Protein backbone atom coordinates (compact mmCIF):
# COMPACT_ATOMS: atom_id res chain seq x y z
CA UNK A 1 0.00 0.00 0.00
CA UNK A 2 1.12 3.52 -0.73
CA UNK A 3 1.13 6.23 1.91
CA UNK A 4 1.77 9.96 1.77
CA UNK A 5 2.82 11.96 4.81
CA UNK A 6 2.78 15.70 5.28
CA UNK A 7 4.32 16.44 8.66
CA UNK A 8 3.47 20.15 8.78
CA UNK A 9 -0.23 20.74 9.54
CA UNK A 10 0.20 24.52 9.36
CA UNK A 11 2.76 26.96 8.05
CA UNK A 12 2.93 30.71 7.58
CA UNK A 13 5.14 33.00 5.52
CA UNK A 14 5.46 36.69 4.89
CA UNK A 15 4.43 38.03 1.52
CA UNK A 16 7.30 37.97 -1.01
CA UNK A 17 9.31 35.43 0.98
CA UNK A 18 10.00 31.78 0.18
CA UNK A 19 8.45 28.78 1.90
CA UNK A 20 8.98 25.02 1.57
CA UNK A 21 6.31 22.42 2.26
CA UNK A 22 7.42 18.87 3.06
CA UNK A 23 6.05 15.58 1.77
CA UNK A 24 7.30 12.03 2.09
CA UNK A 25 5.78 8.90 0.62
CA UNK A 26 6.18 5.18 0.84
CA UNK A 27 5.91 2.73 -2.03
CA UNK A 28 7.54 -0.37 -3.40
CA UNK A 29 6.85 0.75 -6.96
CA UNK A 30 9.55 2.22 -9.14
CA UNK A 31 7.44 4.11 -11.64
CA UNK A 32 4.95 6.65 -10.36
CA UNK A 33 3.85 10.27 -10.44
CA UNK A 34 3.74 12.89 -7.71
CA UNK A 35 1.56 15.97 -7.51
CA UNK A 36 0.94 19.03 -5.42
CA UNK A 37 -2.64 20.27 -5.34
CA UNK A 38 -3.85 23.52 -3.82
CA UNK A 39 -7.23 23.93 -2.13
CA UNK A 40 -8.10 27.58 -1.43
CA UNK A 41 -11.06 28.59 0.74
CA UNK A 42 -13.33 28.04 -2.27
CA UNK A 43 -12.45 24.32 -1.80
CA UNK A 44 -11.68 23.88 -5.50
CA UNK A 45 -8.79 21.45 -6.00
CA UNK A 46 -6.21 23.06 -8.28
CA UNK A 47 -3.16 21.27 -9.67
CA UNK A 48 0.02 23.17 -8.83
CA UNK A 49 2.77 20.93 -10.19
CA UNK A 50 3.51 17.36 -11.33
CA UNK A 51 6.67 15.25 -11.18
CA UNK A 52 7.34 12.00 -13.03
CA UNK A 53 9.46 9.61 -10.98
CA UNK A 54 11.63 8.52 -13.89
CA UNK A 55 12.71 12.11 -14.53
CA UNK A 56 15.63 13.27 -12.42
CA UNK A 57 15.07 16.93 -13.22
CA UNK A 58 12.92 18.73 -10.70
CA UNK A 59 9.67 20.16 -12.08
CA UNK A 60 9.09 23.92 -12.02
CA UNK A 61 6.02 26.03 -12.76
CA UNK A 62 6.71 29.75 -12.47
CA UNK A 63 7.09 30.48 -8.72
CA UNK A 64 6.55 26.83 -7.77
CA UNK A 65 9.28 24.21 -7.83
CA UNK A 66 9.86 20.82 -6.27
CA UNK A 67 12.81 19.07 -4.69
CA UNK A 68 12.34 15.42 -5.64
CA UNK A 69 14.62 12.99 -3.81
CA UNK A 70 13.66 9.55 -5.07
CA UNK A 71 15.99 7.55 -2.82
CA UNK A 72 14.70 9.38 0.24
CA UNK A 73 11.10 9.25 -1.05
CA UNK A 74 10.79 12.96 -0.47
CA UNK A 75 8.88 15.49 -2.58
CA UNK A 76 8.91 19.03 -1.17
CA UNK A 77 7.27 22.09 -2.71
CA UNK A 78 9.01 25.46 -2.74
CA UNK A 79 6.97 28.60 -3.27
CA UNK A 80 9.04 31.66 -4.14
CA UNK A 81 7.88 35.28 -3.86
CA UNK A 82 4.81 34.20 -1.89
CA UNK A 83 1.60 36.04 -2.67
CA UNK A 84 -1.56 36.50 -0.61
CA UNK A 85 -3.41 34.36 -3.14
CA UNK A 86 -1.17 31.43 -2.26
CA UNK A 87 -3.01 31.09 1.04
CA UNK A 88 -4.59 27.64 0.84
CA UNK A 89 -4.42 24.04 1.95
CA UNK A 90 -1.74 22.20 0.00
CA UNK A 91 -1.99 18.47 -0.62
CA UNK A 92 0.76 16.17 -1.80
CA UNK A 93 -0.53 13.24 -3.88
CA UNK A 94 0.87 10.08 -5.45
CA UNK A 95 -0.23 7.61 -8.13
CA UNK A 96 1.58 4.53 -9.40
CA UNK A 97 2.12 4.41 -13.14
CA UNK A 98 0.04 1.24 -13.50
CA UNK A 99 -2.81 2.56 -11.39
CA UNK A 100 -5.38 5.30 -11.34
CA UNK A 101 -6.22 6.26 -7.79
CA UNK A 102 -4.53 9.26 -6.24
CA UNK A 103 -3.33 8.85 -2.66
CA UNK A 104 -3.31 12.15 -0.78
CA UNK A 105 -1.50 13.38 2.29
CA UNK A 106 -3.38 15.07 5.11
CA UNK A 107 -2.51 18.54 3.88
CA UNK A 108 -0.59 21.61 5.02
CA UNK A 109 -2.48 24.83 5.66
CA UNK A 110 -0.33 27.68 4.34
CA UNK A 111 -1.06 31.27 5.32
CA UNK A 112 0.66 34.13 3.56
CA UNK A 113 0.77 37.23 5.75
CA UNK A 114 0.89 40.78 4.36
CA UNK B 1 -13.69 24.45 -22.43
CA UNK B 2 -15.71 24.08 -19.25
CA UNK B 3 -14.06 22.33 -16.35
CA UNK B 4 -15.43 19.44 -14.32
CA UNK B 5 -18.92 20.40 -13.20
CA UNK B 6 -20.41 19.10 -10.01
CA UNK B 7 -23.88 19.75 -8.69
CA UNK B 8 -25.27 20.58 -6.36
CA UNK B 9 -22.54 22.52 -4.55
CA UNK B 10 -24.30 22.01 -1.26
CA UNK B 11 -26.76 19.26 -0.35
CA UNK B 12 -28.61 18.90 2.91
CA UNK B 13 -30.30 15.62 3.77
CA UNK B 14 -31.94 14.19 6.83
CA UNK B 15 -30.86 10.82 8.17
CA UNK B 16 -32.38 8.02 6.13
CA UNK B 17 -32.84 10.04 2.94
CA UNK B 18 -31.02 9.47 -0.34
CA UNK B 19 -28.30 11.73 -1.72
CA UNK B 20 -27.51 11.93 -5.44
CA UNK B 21 -24.37 13.77 -6.48
CA UNK B 22 -23.72 14.57 -10.12
CA UNK B 23 -20.49 15.04 -12.03
CA UNK B 24 -20.05 16.10 -15.65
CA UNK B 25 -16.44 15.50 -16.77
CA UNK B 26 -14.47 17.85 -18.93
CA UNK B 27 -15.19 17.63 -22.64
CA UNK B 28 -13.34 14.70 -24.18
CA UNK B 29 -12.70 13.01 -20.84
CA UNK B 30 -13.94 9.45 -20.47
CA UNK B 31 -12.50 8.64 -17.05
CA UNK B 32 -14.20 9.74 -13.83
CA UNK B 33 -13.02 9.40 -10.24
CA UNK B 34 -14.84 10.10 -7.00
CA UNK B 35 -13.08 11.11 -3.79
CA UNK B 36 -14.38 11.90 -0.32
CA UNK B 37 -12.93 14.51 2.02
CA UNK B 38 -13.95 14.26 5.66
CA UNK B 39 -13.50 17.39 7.79
CA UNK B 40 -9.84 18.23 8.48
CA UNK B 41 -8.62 15.32 6.34
CA UNK B 42 -7.18 14.71 2.90
CA UNK B 43 -9.11 13.26 -0.01
CA UNK B 44 -9.73 9.51 -0.05
CA UNK B 45 -10.34 7.57 -3.25
CA UNK B 46 -13.76 5.96 -3.63
CA UNK B 47 -14.33 4.74 -7.18
CA UNK B 48 -13.00 4.96 -10.73
CA UNK B 49 -15.33 4.66 -13.71
CA UNK B 50 -15.22 4.76 -17.45
CA UNK B 51 -18.30 5.07 -19.63
CA UNK B 52 -20.73 2.31 -18.56
CA UNK B 53 -18.04 0.50 -16.57
CA UNK B 54 -16.82 0.50 -12.98
CA UNK B 55 -13.08 -0.07 -13.13
CA UNK B 56 -12.08 0.17 -9.46
CA UNK B 57 -14.52 0.49 -6.58
CA UNK B 58 -12.16 -0.66 -3.85
CA UNK B 59 -12.59 2.61 -1.93
CA UNK B 60 -16.37 2.50 -1.82
CA UNK B 61 -18.17 1.49 1.38
CA UNK B 62 -19.76 -1.92 0.87
CA UNK B 63 -23.27 -0.79 1.67
CA UNK B 64 -25.47 2.17 0.72
CA UNK B 65 -23.00 3.67 -1.79
CA UNK B 66 -23.13 3.18 -5.54
CA UNK B 67 -21.79 4.96 -8.60
CA UNK B 68 -22.51 4.95 -12.29
CA UNK B 69 -21.28 6.66 -15.43
CA UNK B 70 -23.84 6.04 -18.16
CA UNK B 71 -23.24 6.30 -21.87
CA UNK B 72 -25.16 9.56 -21.88
CA UNK B 73 -25.28 12.05 -19.06
CA UNK B 74 -23.25 12.74 -15.93
CA UNK B 75 -21.70 10.36 -13.48
CA UNK B 76 -23.83 9.83 -10.40
CA UNK B 77 -22.69 9.00 -6.88
CA UNK B 78 -25.65 7.73 -4.91
CA UNK B 79 -25.82 7.35 -1.16
CA UNK B 80 -28.85 5.59 0.22
CA UNK B 81 -30.17 5.98 3.79
CA UNK B 82 -27.61 8.64 4.67
CA UNK B 83 -26.16 8.83 8.17
CA UNK B 84 -24.37 11.69 9.91
CA UNK B 85 -21.01 10.08 9.19
CA UNK B 86 -21.62 10.58 5.48
CA UNK B 87 -21.30 14.35 5.95
CA UNK B 88 -18.28 15.31 3.88
CA UNK B 89 -17.15 17.01 0.70
CA UNK B 90 -17.36 14.73 -2.32
CA UNK B 91 -15.07 15.53 -5.22
CA UNK B 92 -15.19 14.30 -8.75
CA UNK B 93 -12.20 14.32 -11.09
CA UNK B 94 -11.84 13.45 -14.75
CA UNK B 95 -9.04 12.59 -17.14
CA UNK B 96 -8.86 11.90 -20.86
CA UNK B 97 -8.23 8.47 -22.39
CA UNK B 98 -4.59 7.56 -22.96
CA UNK B 99 -3.27 5.27 -25.63
CA UNK B 100 -1.36 2.26 -24.36
CA UNK B 101 -3.14 2.13 -21.00
CA UNK B 102 -0.94 4.72 -19.34
CA UNK B 103 -3.83 6.22 -17.44
CA UNK B 104 -1.78 7.46 -14.57
CA UNK B 105 0.26 9.70 -16.79
CA UNK B 106 -2.74 11.94 -17.20
CA UNK B 107 -3.61 14.62 -14.76
CA UNK B 108 -6.89 14.36 -12.91
CA UNK B 109 -8.85 17.59 -13.08
CA UNK B 110 -11.12 18.21 -10.15
CA UNK B 111 -14.52 19.76 -9.81
CA UNK B 112 -15.42 22.16 -7.01
CA UNK B 113 -17.00 19.40 -4.94
CA UNK B 114 -20.37 18.80 -3.35
CA UNK B 115 -20.64 19.42 0.37
CA UNK B 116 -23.10 16.97 1.87
CA UNK B 117 -24.56 17.75 5.26
CA UNK B 118 -26.66 15.14 7.01
CA UNK B 119 -28.93 16.45 9.75
Amino acid sequence: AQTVTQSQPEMSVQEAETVTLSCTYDTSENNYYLFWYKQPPSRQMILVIRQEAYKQQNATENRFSVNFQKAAKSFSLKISDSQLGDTAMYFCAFVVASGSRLTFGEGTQLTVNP
Amino acid sequence: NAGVMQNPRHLVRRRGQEARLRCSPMKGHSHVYWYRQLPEEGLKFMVYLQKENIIDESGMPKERFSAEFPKEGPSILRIQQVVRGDSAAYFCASSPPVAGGLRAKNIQYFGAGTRLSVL
Side-chain angles (χ1 to χ4, degrees), chain A residues 37 43-44 50 100-101, chain B residues 58 103 105 108 110 115:
Chain A
Y37 281 88
R43 300 194 66 83
Q44 174 79 50
R50 179 180 75 155
S100 303
R101 61 163 66 188
Chain B
S58 58
R103 294 188 302 268
K105 189 170 185 175
Q108 294 183 21
F110 282 81
R115 184 183 294 275

Side-chain angles (χ1 to χ4, degrees), chain B residues 1-55:
Chain B
N1 187 12
V4 178
M5 303 301 292
Q6 289 189 249
N7 67 82
R9 287 296 307 274
H10 301 278
L11 182 62
V12 179
R13 285 288 178 266
R14 296 191 181 278
R15 282 179 295 170
Q17 291 184 322
E18 178 181 286
R20 292 172 70 89
L21 288 63
R22 296 175 184 77
C23 170
S24 296
M26 288 179 69
K27 186 176 181 180
H29 288 194
S30 56
H31 302 247
V32 166
Y33 315 80
W34 285 93
Y35 294 84
R36 177 165 65 175
Q37 184 179 31
L38 294 171
E40 310 301 325
E41 294 188 10
L43 279 71
K44 298 289 194 295
F45 169 81
M46 299 181 75
V47 62
Y48 161 45
L49 311 102
Q50 294 181 22
K51 284 283 187 180
E52 299 184 282
N53 285 303
I54 297 174
I55 307 301

Side-chain angles (χ1 to χ4, degrees), chain A residues 72-83:
Chain A
K73 295 181 181 175
S74 171
F75 182 61
S76 61
L77 174 69
K78 185 172 83 170
I79 306 174
S80 304
D81 186 26
S82 297
Q83 300 176 0

Side-chain angles (χ1 to χ4, degrees), chain A residues 50-68:
Chain A
R50 179 180 75 155
Q51 175 77 43
E52 298 172 43
Y54 61 86
K55 289 187 177 179
Q56 292 188 343
Q57 186 175 5
N58 289 323
T60 62
E61 287 287 341
N62 301 313
R63 298 183 294 106
F64 299 88
S65 61
V66 299
N67 183 4
F68 174 47

